[in-house]
Structure formats: structure tokens, C-alpha cells
Amino acid sequence: MPEHKHEHEKKTFWVVLLTAVTMVVEIIFGLITNSMALLADGIHMGSHVLAIGLSWIAYIVVRKVSKNEKFKGNSDKILSLSGYSSGLMLLLFAFVIMVEAVERFFNPVDIIYREAIFVAIIGLMVNIASAFLLHHDHEHSDHNIRAAYLHVIADALTSLSAILGLTAAMIWDIPFIDTIAAIVSSLVIVRWSVGLLKDSGKALLDMKNAHAEHEHHHH
């Protein structure tokens, strides 16, 4: 098992743990304070927990498979496959946010601003911490950690847009800023996920320079 993959496995595990704990806290507080924003953020985090969990499991599978003599395939393909699946989840996530934002635009809800902002900030802190954990020299061959990293960043982006949107809405009383912020961040996430799907898809199909890359990663 190459050292960096083992490193990545440990890092993804911590990120899964961190994100899962935050998610539980947000959902509990969302229910207590009756805040839809919190609840929604907690549920969004849940989708990222699943995706990052998938990345973590992929590393475990690769580690087990590398030890297995019978396995003749390329274990890096497992990482690309996990990255690809994760990219699809990211795309879905972006669309969910868009739909929610548009719905909220037509049916505005009363928001308890202060606590919603407070929790969005906690969420953002967790995401930033996770991003630092997962940040690596973007080895393009490892789509798995890139996917996990994008999920964390996407989550940070949605927390950030919630904070900006809520703050602007609170100060200037313009509730729809929230909607605009959400849609902008969805579009950014769509771009990322499409890039990830293209790259991991190419690796899965052994298209262009995939082999050249393997060569230079192995020595």
C-alpha cells in the first residue's frame, strides 16, 4: 500500500467523523430551534457524509485488494470509480440546492437569523478544517480524494452563501439575496462536479495519457 494512500485513508476517516458529528448537532439544533435553515444544512451535510464515506471505503477496499493476490485489475480504478460516483452525488446535490432556493424564493419563510447564522458559521469552520485535512497536491491520478475534497468545499460554499445571504437579508431586509447566493453556489458546484466526472470518467475508460500518469506515479 503506497504511503500516500494510507495517509488519505486516515484523513478521509477523520473528515467523515467530523462532518457526521456536525451534521447530528445541526439537525438536533434545527429541530429544537425550529430552524429550517439548520435542518436543511444538516441534511445537506448528510449527503456529503455519504459521499466522503464512500471515498473512505474506497481506500479500505484498495488496501484490502492490493494485498489480495487474486486481484488482477488496476486498484487505482477503484479510486476513480468512487470519485466518479461521488461526482454524480455532487451534481445531484447542486440541483437539490437550486430547487430549494427557487422554492424558498416563491414561499419565503421567517428565519430566526441570529442562530441560523451562528450555526452556518460553525458548519463553515468544520468544512474549512476538513478542507485543510484533505488538501493535497491535487495528484490528478487520485480522483477519490479530489471528490472528497470537492464535497467539503461545496459544503463550505453553501455555508458561506447562507451566511452572506442571511446577513444581507438581516441588515437590508432583502430576503431573496439568500436565493441568489444559493443558485450561484450551485452553479459553481455543477462546474466542479462536471470536471470531476470528466476526469474520473477518462481514467475509467483509459482515455488519453492515463497510462503516462501511472508510469510517473510509480517511480
PDB file of all heavy atoms in Angstrom, residues 44 90-102 186:
ATOM      1  N   HIS A  44     -28.049  18.499   4.182  1.00  0.00           N
ATOM      2  CA  HIS A  44     -27.046  18.623   3.114  1.00  0.00           C
ATOM      3  C   HIS A  44     -25.743  17.976   3.556  1.00  0.00           C
ATOM      4  O   HIS A  44     -25.089  17.282   2.806  1.00  0.00           O
ATOM      5  CB  HIS A  44     -26.761  20.090   2.791  1.00  0.00           C
ATOM      6  CG  HIS A  44     -27.871  20.742   2.044  1.00  0.00           C
ATOM      7  ND1 HIS A  44     -28.004  22.103   1.931  1.00  0.00           N
ATOM      8  CD2 HIS A  44     -28.901  20.209   1.360  1.00  0.00           C
ATOM      9  CE1 HIS A  44     -29.072  22.376   1.218  1.00  0.00           C
ATOM     10  NE2 HIS A  44     -29.637  21.252   0.863  1.00  0.00           N
ATOM     11  N   LEU A  90     -22.473  14.879  -6.165  1.00  0.00           N
ATOM     12  CA  LEU A  90     -22.239  16.317  -6.066  1.00  0.00           C
ATOM     13  C   LEU A  90     -23.162  17.070  -7.030  1.00  0.00           C
ATOM     14  O   LEU A  90     -23.728  18.110  -6.696  1.00  0.00           O
ATOM     15  CB  LEU A  90     -20.774  16.608  -6.382  1.00  0.00           C
ATOM     16  CG  LEU A  90     -20.194  17.941  -5.926  1.00  0.00           C
ATOM     17  CD1 LEU A  90     -20.343  18.110  -4.422  1.00  0.00           C
ATOM     18  CD2 LEU A  90     -18.725  18.037  -6.303  1.00  0.00           C
ATOM     19  N   LEU A  91     -23.308  16.508  -8.218  1.00  0.00           N
ATOM     20  CA  LEU A  91     -24.165  17.120  -9.237  1.00  0.00           C
ATOM     21  C   LEU A  91     -25.609  17.148  -8.730  1.00  0.00           C
ATOM     22  O   LEU A  91     -26.309  18.158  -8.836  1.00  0.00           O
ATOM     23  CB  LEU A  91     -24.063  16.291 -10.520  1.00  0.00           C
ATOM     24  CG  LEU A  91     -24.527  16.937 -11.820  1.00  0.00           C
ATOM     25  CD1 LEU A  91     -23.802  18.250 -12.049  1.00  0.00           C
ATOM     26  CD2 LEU A  91     -24.264  15.997 -12.986  1.00  0.00           C
ATOM     27  N   LEU A  92     -26.028  16.029  -8.168  1.00  0.00           N
ATOM     28  CA  LEU A  92     -27.382  15.915  -7.637  1.00  0.00           C
ATOM     29  C   LEU A  92     -27.602  16.941  -6.526  1.00  0.00           C
ATOM     30  O   LEU A  92     -28.616  17.638  -6.480  1.00  0.00           O
ATOM     31  CB  LEU A  92     -27.560  14.496  -7.070  1.00  0.00           C
ATOM     32  CG  LEU A  92     -28.990  14.022  -6.894  1.00  0.00           C
ATOM     33  CD1 LEU A  92     -29.640  13.850  -8.255  1.00  0.00           C
ATOM     34  CD2 LEU A  92     -29.009  12.703  -6.131  1.00  0.00           C
ATOM     35  N   PHE A  93     -26.603  17.043  -5.667  1.00  0.00           N
ATOM     36  CA  PHE A  93     -26.628  17.970  -4.543  1.00  0.00           C
ATOM     37  C   PHE A  93     -26.850  19.411  -5.028  1.00  0.00           C
ATOM     38  O   PHE A  93     -27.666  20.148  -4.481  1.00  0.00           O
ATOM     39  CB  PHE A  93     -25.301  17.827  -3.804  1.00  0.00           C
ATOM     40  CG  PHE A  93     -25.081  18.820  -2.709  1.00  0.00           C
ATOM     41  CD1 PHE A  93     -25.773  18.713  -1.512  1.00  0.00           C
ATOM     42  CD2 PHE A  93     -24.161  19.844  -2.871  1.00  0.00           C
ATOM     43  CE1 PHE A  93     -25.556  19.631  -0.491  1.00  0.00           C
ATOM     44  CE2 PHE A  93     -23.935  20.759  -1.857  1.00  0.00           C
ATOM     45  CZ  PHE A  93     -24.643  20.650  -0.664  1.00  0.00           C
ATOM     46  N   ALA A  94     -26.131  19.786  -6.090  1.00  0.00           N
ATOM     47  CA  ALA A  94     -26.248  21.143  -6.628  1.00  0.00           C
ATOM     48  C   ALA A  94     -27.672  21.404  -7.104  1.00  0.00           C
ATOM     49  O   ALA A  94     -28.235  22.477  -6.878  1.00  0.00           O
ATOM     50  CB  ALA A  94     -25.255  21.346  -7.752  1.00  0.00           C
ATOM     51  N   PHE A  95     -28.271  20.401  -7.764  1.00  0.00           N
ATOM     52  CA  PHE A  95     -29.631  20.589  -8.262  1.00  0.00           C
ATOM     53  C   PHE A  95     -30.635  20.702  -7.118  1.00  0.00           C
ATOM     54  O   PHE A  95     -31.561  21.502  -7.171  1.00  0.00           O
ATOM     55  CB  PHE A  95     -30.016  19.469  -9.233  1.00  0.00           C
ATOM     56  CG  PHE A  95     -29.399  19.653 -10.577  1.00  0.00           C
ATOM     57  CD1 PHE A  95     -28.486  18.736 -11.074  1.00  0.00           C
ATOM     58  CD2 PHE A  95     -29.694  20.780 -11.344  1.00  0.00           C
ATOM     59  CE1 PHE A  95     -27.888  18.920 -12.322  1.00  0.00           C
ATOM     60  CE2 PHE A  95     -29.103  20.983 -12.579  1.00  0.00           C
ATOM     61  CZ  PHE A  95     -28.197  20.047 -13.078  1.00  0.00           C
ATOM     62  N   VAL A  96     -30.428  19.903  -6.068  1.00  0.00           N
ATOM     63  CA  VAL A  96     -31.310  19.974  -4.904  1.00  0.00           C
ATOM     64  C   VAL A  96     -31.297  21.384  -4.314  1.00  0.00           C
ATOM     65  O   VAL A  96     -32.331  21.962  -4.010  1.00  0.00           O
ATOM     66  CB  VAL A  96     -30.904  18.931  -3.830  1.00  0.00           C
ATOM     67  CG1 VAL A  96     -31.650  19.177  -2.531  1.00  0.00           C
ATOM     68  CG2 VAL A  96     -31.170  17.527  -4.347  1.00  0.00           C
ATOM     69  N   ILE A  97     -30.090  21.959  -4.184  1.00  0.00           N
ATOM     70  CA  ILE A  97     -29.985  23.306  -3.632  1.00  0.00           C
ATOM     71  C   ILE A  97     -30.725  24.310  -4.507  1.00  0.00           C
ATOM     72  O   ILE A  97     -31.430  25.182  -4.012  1.00  0.00           O
ATOM     73  CB  ILE A  97     -28.509  23.740  -3.498  1.00  0.00           C
ATOM     74  CG1 ILE A  97     -27.801  22.860  -2.477  1.00  0.00           C
ATOM     75  CG2 ILE A  97     -28.420  25.193  -3.067  1.00  0.00           C
ATOM     76  CD1 ILE A  97     -26.347  23.167  -2.346  1.00  0.00           C
ATOM     77  N   MET A  98     -30.564  24.169  -5.824  1.00  0.00           N
ATOM     78  CA  MET A  98     -31.243  25.091  -6.735  1.00  0.00           C
ATOM     79  C   MET A  98     -32.754  25.018  -6.561  1.00  0.00           C
ATOM     80  O   MET A  98     -33.423  26.035  -6.443  1.00  0.00           O
ATOM     81  CB  MET A  98     -30.903  24.745  -8.179  1.00  0.00           C
ATOM     82  CG  MET A  98     -29.683  25.443  -8.668  1.00  0.00           C
ATOM     83  SD  MET A  98     -29.582  25.236 -10.442  1.00  0.00           S
ATOM     84  CE  MET A  98     -27.813  25.184 -10.636  1.00  0.00           C
ATOM     85  N   VAL A  99     -33.271  23.804  -6.536  1.00  0.00           N
ATOM     86  CA  VAL A  99     -34.714  23.619  -6.392  1.00  0.00           C
ATOM     87  C   VAL A  99     -35.188  24.243  -5.079  1.00  0.00           C
ATOM     88  O   VAL A  99     -36.174  24.978  -5.044  1.00  0.00           O
ATOM     89  CB  VAL A  99     -35.080  22.118  -6.446  1.00  0.00           C
ATOM     90  CG1 VAL A  99     -36.535  21.908  -6.076  1.00  0.00           C
ATOM     91  CG2 VAL A  99     -34.783  21.562  -7.834  1.00  0.00           C
ATOM     92  N   GLU A 100     -34.436  23.967  -3.998  1.00  0.00           N
ATOM     93  CA  GLU A 100     -34.807  24.514  -2.696  1.00  0.00           C
ATOM     94  C   GLU A 100     -34.792  26.036  -2.715  1.00  0.00           C
ATOM     95  O   GLU A 100     -35.667  26.683  -2.147  1.00  0.00           O
ATOM     96  CB  GLU A 100     -33.832  24.041  -1.622  1.00  0.00           C
ATOM     97  CG  GLU A 100     -34.172  22.670  -1.095  1.00  0.00           C
ATOM     98  CD  GLU A 100     -33.192  22.232  -0.023  1.00  0.00           C
ATOM     99  OE1 GLU A 100     -32.414  23.080   0.466  1.00  0.00           O
ATOM    100  OE2 GLU A 100     -33.223  21.045   0.335  1.00  0.00           O
ATOM    101  N   ALA A 101     -33.763  26.595  -3.361  1.00  0.00           N
ATOM    102  CA  ALA A 101     -33.617  28.047  -3.396  1.00  0.00           C
ATOM    103  C   ALA A 101     -34.798  28.677  -4.128  1.00  0.00           C
ATOM    104  O   ALA A 101     -35.370  29.677  -3.687  1.00  0.00           O
ATOM    105  CB  ALA A 101     -32.308  28.432  -4.061  1.00  0.00           C
ATOM    106  N   VAL A 102     -35.171  28.074  -5.254  1.00  0.00           N
ATOM    107  CA  VAL A 102     -36.276  28.610  -6.038  1.00  0.00           C
ATOM    108  C   VAL A 102     -37.586  28.496  -5.257  1.00  0.00           C
ATOM    109  O   VAL A 102     -38.389  29.427  -5.218  1.00  0.00           O
ATOM    110  CB  VAL A 102     -36.376  27.894  -7.406  1.00  0.00           C
ATOM    111  CG1 VAL A 102     -37.626  28.334  -8.156  1.00  0.00           C
ATOM    112  CG2 VAL A 102     -35.130  28.193  -8.235  1.00  0.00           C
ATOM    113  N   SER A 186     -24.644  26.833  -6.399  1.00  0.00           N
ATOM    114  CA  SER A 186     -24.999  25.588  -7.102  1.00  0.00           C
ATOM    115  C   SER A 186     -24.321  25.524  -8.456  1.00  0.00           C
ATOM    116  O   SER A 186     -23.836  24.471  -8.869  1.00  0.00           O
ATOM    117  CB  SER A 186     -26.507  25.500  -7.348  1.00  0.00           C
ATOM    118  OG  SER A 186     -27.192  25.701  -6.170  1.00  0.00           O
TER     119      SER A 186
END
